[in-house]
Amino acid sequence: MGHGRTTLRTSAAGVVSAALIAGTVVGLAPAAQAASSVRFVDITGDGGTVLKANVVTPTGADGSHDYPLIVLPTSWGLPQVEYLAQAQKLADSGYVVLTYNVRGFWQSGGEIEVAGPPDIADASKVIDWALANTPADPRHIGMAGVSYGAGISLLAAAHDKRIKAVAALSGWADLIDSIYSGRTQHVQAGALLDGAGIITGRESPELREIFDNFYASNLTKEQEMIDWGRKRSAATYLDQLNKNGAAVLMANAWGDTIFPANSYADFYEKLTVPKRLEMRPGDHATAELTGLFGLPNDVWTDTGRWFDHYLKGADNGIDREQPVQLKSRSAGGYEGYPDWKSVGATRTKLALAGSTTIHANVDSGADGGIVFLSSILDQVAQLPPVASIPLLPRRWAAVWQSERYGTAQQVRGTATLHTTLTPTKESGTLIAYLYDVGPLGFGKLVTNAPYTWHDRTPGEPFDVNLDLFSTAYDVPAGHRLALVVDTVDPLYIEHNPSGAQLTFSSPSDDPSYVSVPVREQ
């Protein structure tokens, strides 16, 4: 499985570099506007590590009274000026805003800890500094961030009771479930993070070892990697977060190829604090992007409303709206739901009848696209990855299709695959894709997910139960849904030995199917 190294080099050379250049431009663009009102400071973090930060205070603040405090940790690989446009807006509306560069990146000291204990301790040190050096109100403290900043904000709220509200934008709740879902390495996502860390920061020896074992599929280190990830996941500290009571807003994109939407949705259902979940079209952090320029942006608008209500007590109605807000990838405005369970309450089944055998090790032409680029195309032009379903080679792809639908099918939530699999080798990987197939046979990707197994007895059948990545997509009337399963996808590391074959069957006492959540109309 050593080809992960090759994938890392090719992904980092193209996708990572482009993303970083774009991200740096985004971060630096507001600086010229905001520099005159920004104070750049050094803050001593955990263990004496110096954190580079900036503070924006409301115009006319003279120390006569306190203001709510919002702390913004930076995203992975971006400098401290990332949030200056939004910090300025928040300060203009009456907040003290402190943005800091997380340890290990850019000019801050230390090494990259990936939201480990030092990062969580840093967040509390930053709050301490703000309370001692700015007119910040200790009773009204919030944290927010995009991506890495989102993950740190959730973890900090579970460890520091002073934090009363959180806005976690394009973050993660379960790190392992995000980049190792279905026991499969999301190699393009890993390469993006690794490449950004190498270019803009200083990886710790522990992190370097984690990445090396990740690419090499080192099963002897698998549990160690899982334990490392659990320590860095808000889901591990759910009880503490609920006990502390911070109001939590989470927002993500349907096509997030770094932190898929499922992780947030599952975590949201288990929160007992005031909460809100927003899902929109796009890829990782692209829904928030225009807001970093200071342009109108739904995610940042709702973040401001969230803090206004839970830190200032503003009666702006956000607490009375349906707490789950979804926007379809296809068209239309926002849809409100009382909870995540209601999103997928109605389901339709596509039967996977018969017995089908495919050969492994060849990409059939069905795939999930390219990290960032494919979902951005879907976001701006409704052009997801496409495959010609009739032309997919049946030697390497299993295909099942529904009848044509007489009415539009509004897919909402998490589709699930259940099937019986008999492999010829002890290890393997499959990738399941759900397509919207038009009259000419061209399929637009609705969702997908990988699944890997090890230590199975060759020739012995076993059940596969797989959640595909959550989505909201409208299938037009006259179209079909198709499930395609193959064994190779550039997004993932595959574990199929040479010559492996997979047989899918549907026993009469345990039929195979895909259960698709659809919105009642």
Side-chain angles (χ1 to χ4, degrees):
M1 309 303 172
H3 60 278
R5 277 291 184 187
T6 303
T7 308
L8 166 62
R9 292 191 186 99
T10 56
S11 298
V15 179
V16 174
S17 299
L20 284 176
I21 291 168
T24 303
V25 170
V26 168
L28 292 175
Q33 305 172 25
S36 61
S37 61
V38 175
R39 180 160 59 107
F40 291 87
V41 300
D42 289 350
I43 298 175
T44 302
D46 184 57
T49 298
V50 175
L51 306 174
K52 297 295 182 176
N54 57 66
V55 182
V56 186
T57 53
T59 302
D62 56 8
S64 61
H65 68 278
D66 293 338
Y67 300 87
L69 169 67
I70 296 177
V71 175
L72 301 168
T74 52
S75 300
W76 185 276
L78 292 186
Q80 70 193 70
V81 293
E82 174 189 4
Y83 300 116
L84 280 183
Q86 287 301 321
Q88 189 71 47
K89 285 188 174 186
L90 289 166
D92 289 345
S93 65
Y95 293 94
V96 171
V97 185
L98 194 156
T99 294
Y100 72 97
N101 227 125
V102 292
R103 64 169 56 224
F105 285 104
W106 293 86
Q107 295 166 318
S108 285
E111 297 175 325
I112 302 171
E113 298 287 345
V114 196
D119 289 304
I120 309 312
D122 284 346
S124 292
K125 292 284 188 181
V126 168
I127 292 172
D128 293 342
W129 186 94
L131 295 179
N133 295 278
T134 74
D137 186 343
R139 300 166 301 168
H140 301 102
I141 298 172
M143 281 193 73
V146 176
S147 184
Y148 196 37
I152 290 175
S153 295
L154 277 176
L155 286 160
H159 288 83
D160 193 326
K161 296 179 180 179
R162 296 174 296 179
I163 300 169
K164 304 302 181 185
V166 170
L169 316 177
S170 290
W172 75 92
D174 187 325
L175 188 58
I176 294 299
D177 194 46
S178 295
I179 62 173
Y180 194 56
S181 74
R183 210 178 176 187
T184 309
Q185 296 95 327
H186 297 206
V187 69
Q188 286 191 14
L192 180 65
L193 296 172
D194 190 10
I198 291 171
I199 294 170
T200 66
R202 298 166 300 281
E203 294 182 345
S204 67
E206 180 186 37
L207 177 57
R208 184 68 263 152
E209 183 180 0
I210 288 291
F211 273 126
D212 289 345
N213 289 328
F214 180 82
Y215 298 130
S217 305
N218 188 347
L219 292 180
T220 66
K221 297 289 186 178
E222 182 181 37
Q223 190 57 51
E224 182 178 314
M225 181 186 73
I226 290 172
D227 293 341
W228 176 88
R230 295 283 182 253
K231 188 184 296 183
R232 290 159 170 80
S233 300
T236 302
Y237 310 100
L238 175 69
D239 291 343
Q240 290 175 232
L241 188 58
N242 283 331
K243 182 179 179 181
N244 287 351
V248 175
L249 163 67
M250 298 189 297
N252 205 350
W254 294 120
D256 195 321
T257 44
I258 308 295
F259 304 129
N262 299 48
S263 178
Y264 256 16
D266 293 343
F267 182 72
Y268 173 84
E269 281 295 272
K270 298 171 185 175
L271 286 172
T272 58
V273 297
K275 59 184 180 178
R276 182 178 174 98
L277 177 66
E278 300 183 353
M279 296 287 192
R280 300 174 174 85
D283 205 310
H284 184 64
T286 62
E288 299 88 355
L289 192 61
T290 57
L292 296 180
F293 284 107
L295 300 174
N297 180 277
D298 289 354
V299 185
W300 287 104
T301 295
D302 285 349
T303 295
R305 294 174 64 220
W306 191 254
F307 285 135
D308 285 348
H309 180 74
Y310 287 101
L311 297 183
K312 288 183 178 180
D315 185 14
N316 56 17
I318 196 166
D319 58 318
R320 296 189 294 274
E321 296 171 0
Q322 294 275 42
V324 176
Q325 293 286 322
L326 311 182
K327 190 172 185 180
S328 170
R329 291 163 47 202
S330 304
Y334 289 93
E335 304 164 3
Y337 298 84
D339 49 40
W340 180 253
K341 289 182 297 184
S342 300
V343 175
T346 303
R347 308 186 76 87
T348 184
K349 280 189 177 181
L350 167 58
L352 311 180
S355 179
T356 301
T357 298
I358 62 173
H359 292 70
N361 311 117
V362 174
D363 189 340
S364 70
D367 64 56
I370 300 172
V371 65
F372 271 126
L373 300 181
S374 297
S375 290
I376 291 174
L377 271 175
D378 187 36
Q379 178 182 359
V380 301
Q382 296 180 21
L383 292 174
V386 175
S388 175
I389 304 304
L391 296 182
L392 289 176
R394 283 359 187 218
R395 178 179 176 84
W396 296 297
V399 180
W400 298 267
Q401 295 191 73
S402 71
E403 298 296 323
R404 288 190 176 90
Y405 293 107
T407 59
Q409 303 293 299
Q410 296 184 332
V411 179
R412 298 290 186 272
T414 308
T416 59
L417 165 65
H418 171 74
T419 189
T420 298
L421 171 63
T422 306
T424 60
K425 305 288 186 180
E426 65 176 16
S427 296
T429 297
L430 64 83
I431 304 94
Y433 310 89
L434 190 66
Y435 283 99
D436 159 26
V437 184
L440 298 180
F442 287 102
K444 293 184 176 181
L445 186 65
V446 178
T447 182
N448 77 101
Y451 181 90
T452 292
W453 62 94
H454 298 285
D455 302 322
R456 289 287 181 175
T457 302
E460 184 173 306
F462 63 91
D463 288 345
V464 171
N465 293 288
L466 175 64
D467 286 346
L468 279 62
F469 300 137
S470 303
T471 194
Y473 180 96
D474 298 347
V475 178
H479 285 213
R480 308 172 188 264
L481 281 172
L483 181 82
V484 177
V485 179
D486 72 3
T487 62
V488 177
D489 190 304
L491 287 173
Y492 313 111
I493 288 180
E494 52 92 7
H495 300 262
N496 297 293
S498 179
Q501 297 180 35
L502 311 181
T503 297
F504 302 93
S505 57
S506 184
S508 58
D509 59 344
D510 185 20
S512 297
Y513 60 84
V514 177
S515 176
V516 182
V518 292
R519 184 186 183 202
E520 287 192 45
Q521 301 177 57

